Amino acid sequence: MRTLRSNVVSNLLQTVLGTGLLFLLYRFINQSIGVSEFGIWSVVLATVAVSHLTDLGLTAGITRFVARDIGRANPIRAGQVIDTVMITMAAMVAILSIPLYYLGTVLLPLFFKGHDLALAKLILPYALVSLWFTMLSTAVQGALDGCQRMDIRAALVLSGQLLFLMLALWLIPRHGILGLAWAQLLQGMISVAAGRIILRRLLPDLRVIPLRWNLQTLKEMIGYGLNIQASTALLLLFDPVTKALLAKFGGPASAGLFEMANQVVLKARALIISANQAVVPYIAATHDSAKNGLSTDYARNMRSVYATAIPMFSMVALWSPLVSWALLGSINTDFIKMAALLSAAWCINVFNAPAYFFNMGTGAIHWNTWCQLITSLSNAGLGYGLGSFFAEDGVIAAYAASLCAGSLFLITAFQVQNRVSSPQISWPLFRTILCPIAAGIALALTATHPVHTTTTLLAPIGLSTACIAGLLWCDTHLKALLQELRSHAPQKNQP
């Protein structure tokens, strides 16, 4: 359990510190090349994301298989799993990079024209190579998670983000959007090399260069990864499609604003997701011997989500005007609307996190696939339909609605299948419903009264923040959660 708690804390620290680095990066990018060119880079990356179809679910399954083999005291086979995944991924993506390049040249004219199209085609090759290294880096990070060393993985990810920021500060002023592409490419190369060296220290049987490819291991992992791969394929109909539709109906600036607003909300969501993500290697390593504790663990996770999700996402929506001012240098009403709607949608989505990661740990991932199917297909259909009538507002509304639909399905399916239920919502916990009301009032005041002074902006935000803080102070469930975290902290006399 101490390892599990350490992994949770490491994930949380990575999320908090990573958010700060991402904020600095986005602010610098906006000041250097503008939100429109950033939107072009975002859409190009989304276009080449089809290369994720080549991983056969291996990068997601590596965590479970490495954790299982280490739990069975078989580190040699764990190393074989890592080598098999990295060799397979490197070969398949390299082979398919040329047809993917030509696919990108066909798709990009559907979303860009003129100078924007020329920039998109210029950075397309760099985006492909960068994504190749990103996928290998994801495999390395999954292997570290499987070793239950999420503390090391967190340090590796944060170091990579810091390196990306430093490279961006150096290259973007000299080369513009091309400098952004070079920075991400170099960061990916160094992250893969550093991660491999770290894995070799944890598993001494590993060599510096992966050489032990095994067909039987690959077959076993593909059998597990097919459902994960189906989810990966369906993801191509979600985030990338939304960015492409925004570029088509609202222009690259809308895609850039969406990327920034969505990343702000996702960083808040990651505080909850990262804590739940730690259960995957834990459940995978203990599922064979401890099958009766699922209901208790699920209820505990859901109580934590109840106590934190609504206040947290309310605060994200509440402070979106200040975030807009900090990132963009002005109060952008489009950014505020996006952040508010995305906060509501991701708040509902985060309640499926316990079910999603428990399924990953136990192997019942077909339910996750069905969730993604509902989310992605509804997003593609609604996004194009609503975007045709309401431009970017329709695309964002479709994104939020489809996200909620898939999430509610997964929660219901998990509870029915495993005969578990969510903990009862008592009155102290129900009071947190007032948090989004307070946030909505503050945003309404900000939106209806143009912000000309700092006082005009801070008055509604400050009052609503005080209201939410008071509600949280009275929330007995949140107090219990904080008390539980304190009780798990190592004491001074502990070894």
Side-chain angles (χ1 to χ4, degrees):
M1 285 297 293
R2 180 176 297 181
T3 300
L4 177 61
R5 292 194 295 270
S6 174
N7 288 339
V8 171
V9 172
S10 299
N11 283 342
L12 292 175
L13 286 175
Q14 175 192 326
T15 301
V16 173
L17 296 176
T19 300
L21 292 173
L22 186 70
F23 173 84
L24 294 175
L25 176 65
Y26 278 5
R27 180 174 175 82
F28 176 74
I29 289 175
N30 179 67
Q31 292 177 339
S32 300
I33 61 177
V35 68
S36 182
E37 289 195 11
F38 178 69
I40 295 173
W41 171 248
S42 175
V43 174
V44 170
L45 282 181
T47 302
V48 301
V50 68
S51 60
H52 283 294
L53 293 174
T54 62
D55 78 355
L56 304 175
L58 299 178
T59 54
I62 191 172
T63 297
R64 181 176 185 269
F65 280 86
V66 170
R68 185 200 64 180
D69 291 333
I70 291 178
R72 294 175 178 176
N74 193 353
I76 294 179
R77 193 177 187 284
Q80 190 178 75
V81 167
I82 297 171
D83 278 5
T84 299
V85 171
M86 294 192 70
I87 293 172
T88 304
M89 290 296 308
M92 293 190 67
V93 178
I95 292 172
L96 293 176
S97 59
I98 294 177
L100 286 174
Y101 173 80
Y102 285 105
L103 176 63
T105 59
V106 172
L107 292 177
L108 289 176
L110 300 177
F111 315 124
F112 302 111
K113 297 183 184 301
H115 178 67
D116 292 342
L117 179 59
L119 285 178
K121 288 184 176 181
L122 176 65
I123 61 176
L124 178 58
Y126 299 98
L128 276 169
V129 179
S130 175
L131 198 61
W132 186 75
F133 281 108
T134 298
M135 293 173 70
L136 290 179
S137 180
T138 301
V140 170
Q141 293 168 25
L144 289 172
D145 288 349
C147 295
Q148 300 208 45
R149 293 308 307 266
M150 292 185 178
D151 53 338
I152 297 178
R153 189 260 292 148
L156 177 66
V157 172
L158 286 173
S159 299
Q161 290 177 327
L162 180 59
L163 176 63
F164 185 24
L165 175 61
M166 294 173 63
L167 289 171
L169 292 173
W170 175 42
L171 293 172
I172 291 178
R174 294 171 173 80
H175 306 284
I177 192 173
L178 195 59
L180 175 62
W182 289 347
Q184 189 155 4
L185 175 59
L186 291 172
Q187 182 257 346
M189 294 173 57
I190 296 173
S191 293
V192 172
R196 181 72 188 187
I197 293 172
I198 293 171
L199 279 173
R200 191 168 182 269
R201 294 182 65 87
L202 296 175
L203 300 171
D205 290 317
L206 279 180
R207 300 178 183 178
V208 176
I209 299 175
L211 297 173
R212 293 182 300 175
W213 185 85
N214 184 274
L215 180 60
Q216 188 60 37
T217 299
L218 179 62
K219 289 181 178 179
E220 184 182 4
M221 295 191 69
I222 289 177
Y224 170 81
L226 285 178
N227 278 305
I228 296 179
Q229 182 61 14
S231 295
T232 302
L234 292 169
L235 279 173
L236 298 177
L237 296 176
F238 191 52
D239 216 53
V241 164
T242 298
K243 294 174 185 177
L245 290 174
L246 283 171
K248 178 179 180 61
F249 294 115
S254 293
L257 281 177
F258 169 80
E259 176 69 9
M260 289 188 177
N262 202 35
Q263 285 299 320
V264 169
V265 178
L266 287 176
K267 288 303 179 182
R269 173 181 177 267
L271 290 172
I272 300 174
I273 294 298
S274 58
N276 280 276
Q277 190 177 13
V279 308
V280 175
Y282 175 75
I283 293 295
T286 62
H287 180 58
D288 293 338
S289 58
K291 296 183 178 180
N292 296 326
L294 184 144
S295 179
T296 301
D297 291 337
Y298 178 76
R300 182 186 297 115
N301 273 347
M302 285 297 285
R303 279 195 296 269
S304 300
V305 175
Y306 276 130
T308 56
I310 296 177
M312 182 179 298
F313 284 100
S314 299
M315 291 295 289
V316 172
L318 186 67
W319 288 95
S320 59
L322 283 181
V323 175
S324 173
W325 174 79
L327 284 176
L328 306 174
S330 63
I331 308 301
N332 189 299
T333 55
D334 289 333
F335 180 92
I336 296 172
K337 288 190 296 183
M338 288 182 183
L341 188 57
L342 291 171
S343 295
W346 283 114
C347 180
I348 294 174
N349 166 267
V350 83
F351 283 94
N352 78 4
Y356 183 91
F357 288 112
F358 270 79
N359 286 341
M360 289 285 289
T362 61
I365 53 178
H366 58 283
W367 293 111
N368 297 355
T369 303
W370 279 105
C371 166
Q372 196 59 58
L373 177 67
I374 294 171
T375 302
S376 299
L377 292 182
S378 59
N379 178 63
L382 285 175
Y384 190 87
L386 294 179
S388 300
F389 290 98
F390 304 104
E392 63 266 28
D393 291 339
V395 177
I396 299 297
Y399 183 92
S402 59
L403 187 62
C404 295
S407 303
L408 294 174
F409 165 81
L410 182 59
I411 295 170
T412 303
F414 180 85
Q415 294 183 1
V416 171
Q417 182 70 18
N418 294 281
R419 298 180 181 180
V420 298
S421 59
S422 301
Q424 289 186 340
I425 305 177
S426 61
W427 166 243
L429 191 58
F430 181 75
R431 286 183 303 193
T432 57
I433 198 67
L434 297 177
C435 294
I437 296 177
I441 293 173
L443 285 176
L445 290 173
T446 303
T448 55
H449 294 82
V451 180
H452 297 294
T453 66
T454 303
T455 304
T456 309
L457 175 63
L458 295 182
I461 294 179
L463 290 173
S464 297
T465 302
C467 178
I468 291 178
L471 288 172
L472 295 181
W473 181 257
C474 299
D475 191 335
T476 56
H477 287 266
L478 185 58
K479 287 182 178 180
L481 175 62
L482 295 175
Q483 182 62 38
E484 182 180 357
L485 290 175
R486 283 195 293 267
S487 68
H488 288 325
Q491 304 297 319
K492 292 182 179 180
N493 57 352
Q494 287 181 342

